[in-house]
Amino acid sequence: MRGRKLVLRRGIGASVTGPMRIARPTRHQRCACEAVAIVRAQPIPWDRYRQIKRKFCTIVGGVVSPCLSNVFLHHVLDEWFETEVKPRLRGACTLVRFADDALMAFDTIDDAKRVLSVLGKRLARYGLTLHPDKTRLVDFRPKRSQSTRHPETDGTSFDFLGLTHVWGRSRNGKDMVRQVTAKDRFARAVAAVNDWCRTHRHWSFHDQHRHLSSMMRGHFAYYGVGGNSRRLRWFANQVVRVWRKWLSRRDRQGVVTWARLNELLARHPLPSVKILHGYASASKTPS
């Protein structure tokens, strides 16, 4: 993303048919828009299956959507972007894709608008669709606020793979891209801890401690990127608060005070916040 100014963030939904065979589509099948049969993500009654056997059934957001999209996208998006899109654009551009999530960076807004206008049509030829909520045109230039961004863009930051990408400053005073936990992912992680503690509040202290430690290590392993230590500390603090809440509700007379909980945590500490991934490559303002 070095030197790019405008970012097109979008997600892709997939469509599937009834399972007839499992295979990677050939080039002829891709061009002919033929369906590729895969195992269904959810059971379908036989009567309903007969009705949709030869028709597409859209499953956007299902577990099979990223898998099916990834089968097509190397040809539908990656090759198309390199061979047909890049030569027709005025400025430099780049494409970053992971499964069915992709991000495009452009030097000029005209190039971004041109690609966005044809991208939906390109995907529709292969039974794929753009996610209406995730497809955004972002003015991702340093030192840009909501009031100074380009009027045809939607915001100055974007979420990609659970991380919010924003411009910040390094310790040396240089512009750099910072990655922090996205708000929805943070809320989802805290809700998962709350649900688990509520369901398993009658387990022993040691068993709960072992499982919560595993959940925290997993969270730190993914979101432990440079510049994200503040939200990691927020998460660790929320885990302790939620745990105390449900330990106090094991019975009517079993309120766990903060002094008692701190005493237990001193003997059995939870995992500390760790940054396991260094900063992303620093982006410089184009001259």
Side-chain angles (χ1 to χ4, degrees):
M1 293 173 57
R2 188 183 300 274
R4 307 294 180 262
K5 300 177 181 178
L6 294 163
V7 173
L8 175 59
R9 166 74 174 90
R10 56 108 184 100
I12 298 175
S15 300
V16 300
T17 59
M20 299 174 63
R21 65 182 183 85
I22 302 177
R24 184 177 183 274
T26 63
R27 183 173 295 275
H28 173 74
Q29 289 173 326
R30 291 166 179 162
C31 296
C33 304
E34 294 183 8
V36 179
I38 64 173
V39 180
R40 290 191 301 265
Q42 299 176 354
I44 301 177
W46 176 249
D47 294 340
R48 178 59 179 159
Y49 166 71
R50 294 179 63 182
Q51 297 176 8
I52 66 173
K53 184 175 181 180
R54 296 185 179 277
K55 297 181 180 179
F56 280 105
C57 176
T58 303
I59 304 179
V60 177
V63 295
V64 76
S65 179
C67 300
L68 180 60
S69 298
N70 198 37
V71 172
F72 284 91
L73 286 181
H74 176 69
H75 169 73
V76 176
L77 186 61
D78 299 346
E79 294 180 356
W80 172 74
F81 188 83
E82 292 293 333
T83 59
E84 299 186 26
V85 174
K86 273 190 174 183
R88 291 177 168 84
L89 299 181
R90 295 181 178 179
C93 60
T94 186
L95 167 67
V96 179
R97 182 176 67 85
F98 183 84
D100 62 340
D101 276 343
L103 181 146
M104 298 178 184
F106 304 90
D107 274 345
T108 66
I109 190 171
D110 292 334
D111 289 343
K113 292 167 60 177
R114 288 179 60 191
V115 175
L116 181 59
S117 63
V118 300
L119 185 59
K121 300 176 183 178
R122 171 69 179 179
L123 297 176
R125 292 178 55 191
Y126 298 87
L128 304 176
T129 58
L130 288 173
H131 195 292
D133 298 329
K134 295 182 179 180
T135 306
R136 301 172 56 210
L137 187 60
V138 178
D139 187 353
F140 196 65
R141 291 177 290 178
K143 302 177 183 178
R144 295 285 172 174
S145 61
Q146 291 291 341
S147 59
T148 60
R149 65 179 174 84
H150 196 282
E152 298 185 40
T153 59
D154 180 18
T156 58
S157 63
F158 62 93
D159 295 345
F160 186 61
L161 301 180
L163 295 168
T164 300
H165 294 67
V166 296
W167 279 99
R169 287 278 187 173
S170 67
R171 294 181 179 179
N172 297 327
K174 296 182 179 180
D175 293 325
M176 64 171 296
V177 178
R178 295 181 59 245
Q179 296 172 307
V180 298
T181 308
K183 293 182 179 179
D184 59 337
R185 298 300 180 91
F186 182 87
R188 184 191 305 178
V190 175
V193 172
N194 182 77
D195 292 342
W196 190 91
C197 290
R198 175 177 55 83
T199 305
H200 302 87
R201 62 184 180 274
H202 296 296
W203 281 19
S204 66
F205 176 86
H206 294 287
D207 290 339
Q208 293 188 48
H209 178 274
R210 181 170 57 253
H211 187 85
L212 288 176
S213 297
S214 178
M215 295 180 71
M216 294 180 68
R217 282 192 294 268
H219 186 86
F220 297 156
Y222 186 86
Y223 295 103
V225 297
N228 195 29
S229 58
R230 177 180 297 181
R231 296 204 177 182
L232 295 181
R233 290 195 298 269
W234 291 355
F235 177 75
N237 181 60
Q238 287 298 318
V239 170
V240 175
R241 296 176 65 88
V242 169
W243 193 19
R244 174 184 174 272
K245 168 186 173 181
W246 290 108
L247 285 176
S248 300
R249 298 188 180 185
R250 303 176 81 174
D251 54 66
R252 295 184 177 180
Q253 299 179 350
V255 178
V256 178
T257 62
W258 278 110
R260 174 57 177 165
L261 182 60
N262 290 332
E263 181 182 339
L264 292 172
L265 292 179
R267 289 182 293 178
H268 306 282
L270 292 170
S272 58
V273 173
K274 291 183 179 181
I275 300 298
L276 301 178
H277 313 285
Y279 280 98
S281 300
S283 300
K284 298 181 180 179
T285 304
S287 57

